[in-house]
Amino acid sequence: MSNNVIEIKGLTIKFPMKVGTLCAADEVDFNIEKGKITALVGESGSGKSTVASAVLKSVSSPGVISAGSIKYHEKDILKFGKDELQKYKWSSVAMVFQAAQNALNPVMTIKEQIVETVLAHEPEMKEEAIIAKATKLLEYVRLEPTRVLKAFPHELSGGMKQRVMIAFSLLLDPELVILDEPTTALDVITQDYIFDILEKIHKELGITMLLLTHDIGVVAKVADNVGVMYAGKIVESGDIFTVFEDGKHPYTRSLIHAAPSLIGEVKDLKSVRGAAPNLLDLPSGCTFHPRCSCAKSICSQVKPEVALLDGKHVVMCHIYSEENKKYWDDRGEANGK
Amino acid sequence: MENKPLLQLENISMVFERKEGLFAPPVKVGAVVDVNVTLNSGEIIALVGESGCGKTTMGKVVTGLLHPSEGRVLFKGVDIKQMNRAQYDEFRNGVQMVQQDSYAALNPTRTIFQSLSAPILEKKIVKNKAEARERVSELLKTVELNPPEQYLDKYPHQLSGGQRQRILLARAISLKPKIIVADEPVSMIDVSLRIAVLNLMASLNKKLGIAFIYITHDLATARYIANNGKIVVMYLGKIVETGNVTEVLNEPKHPYLQALVSAVPVPDPRVAKSKRSLPLKSVEMPNPANPPKGCRFNPRCPFAFKKCEEVEPELYKYGNGLAACHKLENK
């Protein structure tokens, strides 16, 4: 029995469009460990939201999952029927969407929306029981239940709406909660407060979390495991300390070093050179090679394979792959740094 | 004239009136209240605060887009309201702005060359189109868009966010300004490219001696760009703390700034996981139309005492900085 809630293998998601086919996820292998907070970090367009939507089997049109499997406790959710899926969504895996402002219905009170959501999954449940549960959860996210239940979304601040969404996601006691950029557009103090609540929920209710973000600081603060995405691929994943302190992929290293910090000396930082690639016309070989400072000739020709370093630390870079070790050794170019 | 600071803001207040219905009296919102800031030539000031603190309004007052309800804006020692035509022209050319949303700030139906040549042709910095093309190419090189020919005839949608932000910087420097007001210039571009734009701003500051007012909510980038410059921290329209950026952020005196600094995530898991934030009494920002009595921060402040609820604190001096907190009164 594995210790993973979700195991993603070879997941490929394609968006066929008039101008060509866009590959938002390319053979993604990724695990979400039970009882841990796993973060998926990447810039806009790297495919993290697409991968998360695949975990809920709700990739937005025209995207199709063209290959791979997503296993929820050994069962492939991509093969789920309608009933199984209905049960799986929200009661096993729930999601807190980016920009909570748009996730709530503006013409319904919070109470009506909560009752509607629960009844859609558990038609037998009594309204009083639903309200009682919602009250408890709203208190959990430090809101006043009596006031908030009666309120329309526009009567709440951005931070409050986000907390309502977190309470929403917990309504059916899911095992996994996916948080898609839960604090973008919120102020720093509110952001900190929300992560405080999320960490408490994680510890006390033992809920596994998948956090999607572009903010390296947030990842450092809350995550146990981290996966770094670039142009639809997971280029590195592993334990948070390993990836931050002994990151192997050149992209990971430059991403972490490109983050200005409030501590330590102010030193000149270097950003990753060049711009994010066009997903419709990806560079050949390793997709990162035009921006990579250690790129060699092989990088523009051959796609790198996944290399397992130690434990669960995985990196997708020619420098570390077993087959190419000889290639580098022969040329005396093998350098871990 | 010689020793006059480049720009002085004296007791600036900006009050907006919001209509509440046909017969109800309008509600007055003090977006900026009694703010004093001095900017010397070649200096970088970081203007920091959360949403609704009045930092963008301040930027608009500095550029002359908004006329303050009270107070004076002095450019090279002259009140902008009492300037003659030539002086006012000098002020408008001398203070340029870089907006947050680079896509909205560029006309989508004009090429980069059209957008960038219009101001220099209008202000007669160049004589004709051929000269304009040369000048625009130079500008693009200055903002590190090489080779310029690749960008001149493109439309804004064909460029990435980072490139568009550089175009805005090129447009801002085209009139040889003394001051650039940059309002959240990097908040909409990818993390890996942010540093490049910040580095570019720092190099424009060094090479061309342009003073910057960098408006942001992000303390880490403020510290990075204003390296050894000044920081002005605002809360609900008022300055709560100001001083040297490194000193202020290393040892914030005002409880609001202490809370803000402690809430910023640090990109180092060992530090971030052990960092404890200052617990506030409330996370909700009060309504700016009806700010709390006394110190504006008192309903959220964990150290608030009786006086804080009654008397609004002035800016007290400490070390090299100023902070508006009653705790500092007797020190």
Side-chain angles (χ1 to χ4, degrees):
Chain A
M1 193 65 195
S2 76
N3 203 20
N4 298 326
V5 177
I6 297 278
E7 281 182 16
I8 302 174
K9 274 247 153 15
L11 181 72
T12 305
I13 303 168
K14 287 191 170 149
F15 286 75
M17 296 191 295
K18 270 188 192 152
V19 281
T21 301
L22 188 150
C23 196
D26 187 10
E27 292 182 31
V28 166
D29 293 342
F30 195 59
N31 296 332
I32 302 170
E33 210 175 318
K34 191 171 171 57
K36 294 274 164 80
I37 300 180
T38 304
L40 207 47
V41 59
E43 296 175 79
S44 47
S46 61
K48 48 190 195 306
S49 291
T50 312
V51 168
S53 62
V55 173
L56 275 170
K57 211 191 168 189
S58 51
V59 178
S60 59
S61 167
V64 281
I65 299 173
S66 58
S69 66
I70 301 173
K71 290 213 168 105
Y72 170 70
H73 290 297
E74 322 271 299
K75 281 175 291 191
D76 193 346
I77 66 146
L78 300 180
K79 296 196 180 91
F80 275 4
K82 205 178 164 218
D83 291 347
E84 270 176 304
L85 205 59
Q86 169 91 352
K87 243 175 134 182
Y88 165 78
K89 278 190 192 175
W90 221 254
S91 21
S92 297
V93 178
M95 184 153 175
V96 177
F97 294 92
Q98 191 172 2
Q101 285 85 333
N102 310 334
L104 290 165
N105 187 335
V107 295
M108 282 169 85
T109 61
I110 303 299
K111 183 177 150 185
E112 286 165 348
Q113 298 187 50
I114 286 179
V115 172
E116 190 191 34
T117 308
V118 178
L119 287 182
H121 292 268
E122 286 176 28
E124 269 96 80
M125 207 160 160
K126 288 260 165 20
E127 192 171 320
E128 294 83 65
I130 299 173
I131 299 298
K133 180 147 199 201
T135 307
K136 216 176 84 198
L137 287 171
L138 287 172
E139 272 167 7
Y140 217 95
V141 294
R142 297 172 214 167
L143 288 169
E144 290 168 59
T146 38
R147 196 194 132 199
V148 171
L149 282 171
K150 275 190 300 197
F152 284 97
H154 74 267
E155 295 173 277
L156 306 173
S157 74
M160 290 166 86
K161 275 187 262 196
Q162 195 63 56
R163 281 182 276 156
V164 168
M165 282 316 294
I166 292 168
F168 241 96
S169 70
L170 300 172
L171 274 175
L172 299 171
D173 303 311
E175 189 177 354
L176 169 69
V177 174
I178 301 173
L179 306 150
D180 189 358
E181 301 268 11
T183 55
T184 15
L186 296 181
D187 281 326
V188 190
I189 290 179
T190 322
Q191 164 175 302
D192 189 64
Y193 189 68
I194 285 184
F195 279 116
D196 206 38
I197 290 172
L198 285 172
E199 280 189 303
K200 193 167 157 245
I201 290 170
H202 168 71
K203 279 204 193 93
E204 290 176 11
L205 306 179
I207 289 176
T208 309
M209 289 182 180
L210 173 65
L211 171 72
L212 314 177
T213 181
H214 67 272
D215 191 332
I216 289 289
V218 164
V219 175
K221 187 174 155 62
V222 296
D224 299 308
N225 295 319
V226 60
V228 182
M229 271 196 101
Y230 183 78
K233 287 195 182 62
I234 302 233
V235 294
E236 182 158 6
S237 67
D239 173 78
I240 180 91
F241 294 107
T242 320
V243 173
F244 269 75
E245 285 160 11
D246 192 23
K248 295 293 186 199
H249 199 283
Y251 178 66
T252 313
R253 287 208 299 264
S254 44
L255 197 62
I256 290 166
H257 291 142
S261 166
L262 269 188
I263 52 161
E265 284 202 17
V266 184
K267 48 184 182 245
D268 285 339
L269 298 172
K270 277 206 187 89
S271 71
V272 188
R273 64 177 185 193
N278 178 357
L279 289 172
L280 284 167
D281 182 23
L282 285 174
S284 60
C286 171
T287 46
F288 186 62
H289 86 262
R291 303 176 72 187
C292 183
S293 54
C294 339
K296 306 283 186 312
S297 58
I298 185 175
C299 299
S300 59
Q301 292 150 16
V302 186
K303 274 193 184 185
E305 294 287 316
V306 171
L308 182 68
L309 296 173
D310 47 58
K312 52 190 177 182
H313 190 191
V314 164
V315 63
M316 190 188 268
C317 177
H318 281 303
I319 302 175
Y320 308 101
S321 76
E322 207 45 54
E323 296 141 54
N324 291 308
K325 229 171 166 244
K326 200 170 164 298
Y327 175 95
W328 299 118
D329 287 345
D330 289 350
R331 281 158 185 76
E333 285 175 320
N335 47 359
K337 298 287 155 194
Chain B
M1 275 301 271
E2 282 311 295
N3 294 323
K4 287 266 162 60
L6 189 56
L7 185 90
Q8 285 162 282
L9 301 177
E10 288 185 355
N11 307 89
I12 296 286
S13 290
M14 186 76 226
V15 179
F16 293 108
E17 290 196 350
R18 192 176 65 197
K19 288 216 171 90
E20 282 289 277
L22 205 51
F23 302 108
V27 174
K28 287 189 174 169
V29 182
V32 171
V33 182
D34 200 13
V35 164
N36 291 287
V37 176
T38 307
L39 177 70
N40 295 313
S41 143
E43 199 177 29
I44 297 183
I45 288 188
L47 191 56
V48 185
E50 293 182 285
S51 45
C53 75
K55 55 190 193 297
T56 298
T57 308
M58 281 285 293
K60 288 186 174 163
V61 168
V62 171
T63 45
L65 294 174
L66 285 175
H67 297 291
S69 328
E70 268 168 61
R72 301 196 302 165
V73 179
L74 286 88
F75 182 68
K76 294 187 175 171
V78 187
D79 186 344
I80 61 165
K81 275 193 182 155
Q82 278 148 24
M83 282 178 166
N84 58 33
R85 186 66 196 255
Q87 283 173 317
Y88 193 65
D89 270 357
E90 193 194 344
F91 162 69
R92 288 302 295 258
N93 295 350
V95 184
Q96 293 295 320
M97 188 158 194
V98 171
Q99 291 86 353
Q100 174 174 19
D101 185 347
S102 59
Y103 196 70
L106 288 165
N107 187 332
T109 62
R110 285 189 177 186
T111 63
I112 299 307
F113 170 68
Q114 285 172 325
S115 283
L116 290 185
S117 61
I120 50 176
L121 283 166
E122 167 72 28
K123 299 279 180 189
K124 308 217 166 48
I125 292 178
V126 290
K127 282 192 214 93
N128 50 39
K129 279 221 165 156
E131 250 180 61
R133 212 170 164 86
E134 220 168 276
R135 179 83 190 108
V136 171
S137 299
E138 271 169 46
L139 288 171
L140 291 180
K141 272 187 210 155
T142 319
V143 294
E144 294 158 17
L145 288 173
N146 280 315
E149 299 76 45
Q150 206 184 318
Y151 301 94
L152 279 173
D153 299 310
K154 281 200 170 150
Y155 287 93
H157 73 267
Q158 292 170 300
L159 304 178
S160 73
Q163 288 168 337
R164 278 199 299 268
Q165 211 63 56
R166 285 165 193 268
I167 300 288
L168 291 188
L169 273 167
R171 181 165 71 180
I173 59 171
S174 67
L175 296 176
K176 307 199 170 89
K178 297 277 181 290
I179 303 170
I180 290 180
V181 178
D183 190 356
E184 300 270 15
V186 297
S187 68
M188 286 180 64
I189 52 181
D190 272 336
V191 196
S192 68
L193 303 170
R194 272 183 200 174
I195 288 298
V197 172
L198 292 176
N199 284 348
L200 174 64
M201 284 168 53
S203 92
L204 292 176
N205 169 259
K206 271 198 204 99
K207 274 192 219 147
L208 307 175
I210 301 172
F212 273 86
I213 297 184
Y214 176 68
I215 300 175
T216 186
H217 69 279
D218 184 345
L219 288 173
T221 58
R223 184 174 105 126
Y224 182 70
I225 187 160
N227 193 5
N228 285 318
K230 228 192 288 178
I231 187 170
V232 175
V233 184
M234 290 182 71
Y235 179 75
L236 274 180
K238 296 202 87 169
I239 294 182
V240 293
E241 187 157 353
T242 173
N244 173 284
V245 68
T246 322
E247 287 172 22
V248 166
L249 291 181
N250 281 350
E251 237 181 282
K253 292 285 184 291
H254 197 283
Y256 169 67
L257 189 59
Q258 288 172 355
L260 204 59
V261 168
S262 71
V264 174
V266 181
D268 178 336
R270 278 185 214 280
V271 181
K273 287 190 198 298
S274 60
K275 203 172 153 184
R276 279 289 133 242
S277 50
L278 183 74
L280 291 183
K281 283 198 282 191
S282 149
V283 283
E284 299 302 332
M285 187 79 92
N287 180 1
N290 184 18
K293 204 170 161 259
C295 171
R296 294 182 168 219
F297 189 58
N298 90 70
R300 300 172 71 188
C301 182
F303 311 115
F305 48 94
K306 192 102 180 74
K307 191 173 181 186
C308 305
E309 290 167 28
E310 288 154 4
V311 187
E312 195 148 9
E314 51 189 289
L315 282 164
Y316 296 106
K317 201 164 167 49
Y318 73 86
N320 298 319
L322 296 167
C325 179
H326 286 304
K327 279 197 307 171
L328 295 168
E329 192 178 5
N330 299 322
K331 279 180 189 167

